[in-house]
Amino acid sequence: LVDSSATGNGADISLTSGELNLTNESRIIANIDGQSVSPDDISTAGDIDLDIAGEINLDNGSQIQSQVGEDAVGNAGNITIETGNSLISTNGSQILTDSQGNGSGGDIQITVGDSIELRDTSLIFANTSGQSIGNAGSVTLEVGNTFSLSESLVLSQIQGEAEGNAGGIDITANTIDINNFSLVSTNAQAGTLGAAGNINLNGANISINTGSVVDALTENGFQGGNIVISGGNLEIVSGGVVVTSADNTGDAGSINLDLTSDLTINGEGAIPRPEDIFSLDEQVLKDLQESTGLFASSSAASTGSGGNIEVINGEDITISNNGIISVDSQGEGDGGIIKINTDSLNLDSKAAISAITASGNGGDINLTVADTINLENNSIISTQASGNGNGGNINIDTNFIVAFPNQDNDIVANTQAGEGGNINITAQSVLGIVERDSNPPNNTNDIDASSEFGLNGTVSIFTPDTNTLQGEAELPSNIVEPQQTTTQACNADRGAVAQSNLTLKGRGGIGSGPHLPLNPENISINGEFSNSTSAIPQPIETSQGKIQPARGIKVTEDGSIILTAYRTNNAGDKPNGIAPQRISEIKRNCDQI
């Protein structure tokens, strides 16, 4: 500790142990309240380095802290914690680096073999505040198994009149569970001069649920931070939100998801967050009470643009029960862009993908879906604009779009006074939804790019022709000589021909030779060969009664022809009506060729 009357650097603290237990407001601290030795030699509060083989427990308001005091000049030290087991922090305990004076905050690096668990308003915090000049520190958490946050916070922020940027937060674990009104945040509050930091979450299974928030916000005219979530499954449910936002002249940051498995956004069970749960006053979080989903927005007082959201998803995306993916500008700026690339996309029960603006241009939505887009129960894909803003464009490339009938599922790019956006759809088939004005609740599924007072947009639906039998084919131009064809027929291998047969599905058929009656051994009826030469088929039912199909011909002595229900062999005199002398003539012609 360097007190207010002293100058110089604080001492480092290094501790190696089997286990570490801090309870009842116990503290490990390395602070500086004094001044630097000289302007060219900025003092530093000491670093804290803990190497613990077993479990670390912090309870009942205990602290591990490196801090620069309010009137001091210097940088906060770094905190490094490593354990092969677990770190558990409960009941308001804290791990923090903080600069309230003229200097930067320190970094926090925690590496654990098993799990980190923060409960009951516990805190990991890298901060600059007051009139400090310098960046807040970063927070890096590397966890072998589970990171769990319940009614607790992980923060890197600037507040008060601080000048500097918030630090980044990086969390890597097999399972990341942010639940029960918890917060992971890099933000720059009103009155500060600096941008929000970036957030990276990486895990095989990630859950943000029960009113919890992951945000990178600015309220001071600077840029919002970016949020990147990567790994396997991600579920955002029951009031969980991921949000970037900017106020004043700043633009909101981007949200990027890179997942190998499913994304689930489900608003069922969302309840309002307690007003004092985070002890923060961001308006955007108040506006998102009971909301669930991904949000990249700019506030009503902003001239900046909404951020972008990009989702690369290995399997399925399901959005339901008021869940939403949204980029919007509530002020004068333009809406952001939404890009989604996934196997299938399912929207159900008032789910929405929206890029909306109050007065600027609506953002674009680009959906590339390998299989099917399903729309059910008042779901919507929208790039709307109010006021004089123009609607954004919607571009969809998929196999099928299926909208369940009579459920108010819409794809819209419409406006009030500006130009409607363009809707371009490429799909093998579009089912249950058609182009027409959308006027909910009209109980129809509509594709609408209209403007109430301005120019309408365009709707283009392209369904590629997949019938390979259709189209142009180039025919051969060579001339076939009749003599050549006759020669080929007469010189054919009669032995090979004799072994050939013709299989016909159903009744009837043709003779196995041009002058012979039908041979039943060469006929397959529904997959079975018939050996009966005399079987008479059943009569056929018609509107005129039963009709017996003819199967033979009989010629009487007076030349009358009688059709018979049984087969007849008339090959003796005139096979198939051809005189024997004509047959002999054909054979002689073949022998001469």
Side-chain angles (χ1 to χ4, degrees), residues 200-418:
N200 294 286
L201 305 180
N202 190 328
N205 296 285
I206 303 173
S207 178
I208 303 166
N209 62 81
T210 323
S212 297
V213 175
V214 176
D215 74 52
L217 311 177
T218 60
E219 297 182 326
N220 57 6
F222 286 75
Q223 297 294 111
N226 300 320
I227 298 175
V228 176
I229 302 177
S230 57
N233 294 297
L234 171 62
E235 64 171 19
I236 304 171
V237 298
S238 302
V241 299
V242 177
V243 53
T244 67
S245 182
D247 202 354
N248 205 316
T249 58
D251 295 333
S254 297
I255 298 173
N256 295 282
L257 308 186
D258 189 355
L259 307 172
T260 59
S261 192
D262 295 338
L263 168 62
T264 301
I265 300 175
N266 187 343
E268 184 176 9
I271 60 176
R273 301 179 193 87
E275 291 185 2
D276 60 346
I277 187 66
F278 303 137
S279 299
L280 302 174
D281 194 32
E282 285 98 345
Q283 183 61 44
V284 64
L285 298 184
K286 296 178 181 179
D287 294 340
L288 293 177
Q289 284 283 26
E290 300 182 64
S291 297
T292 303
L294 305 173
F295 303 87
S297 62
S298 58
S299 70
S302 176
T303 58
S305 299
N308 301 323
I309 296 177
E310 181 173 6
V311 180
I312 299 174
N313 194 73
E315 295 184 3
D316 301 331
I317 296 177
T318 300
I319 308 172
S320 60
N321 296 304
N322 293 294
I324 186 170
I325 296 177
S326 172
V327 294
D328 66 65
S329 173
Q330 301 176 34
E332 299 178 11
D334 297 335
I337 297 173
I338 295 176
K339 293 181 180 180
I340 295 177
N341 191 325
T342 186
D343 279 356
S344 71
L345 176 61
N346 306 291
L347 278 69
D348 187 14
S349 300
K350 299 183 178 179
I353 298 176
S354 68
I356 298 175
T357 182
S359 58
N361 293 320
D364 294 342
I365 296 177
N366 301 313
L367 306 179
T368 302
V369 181
D371 190 4
T372 303
I373 298 175
N374 290 309
L375 302 173
E376 299 182 58
N377 298 314
N378 300 96
S379 295
I380 189 170
I381 299 171
S382 170
T383 58
Q384 294 173 292
S386 57
N388 294 320
N390 298 322
N393 300 321
I394 298 175
N395 301 298
I396 299 175
D397 187 351
T398 187
N399 199 5
F400 298 100
I401 296 177
V402 179
F404 285 66
N406 305 318
Q407 293 185 357
D408 268 335
N409 302 302
D410 296 330
I411 301 174
V412 294
N414 50 29
T415 68
Q416 290 183 341

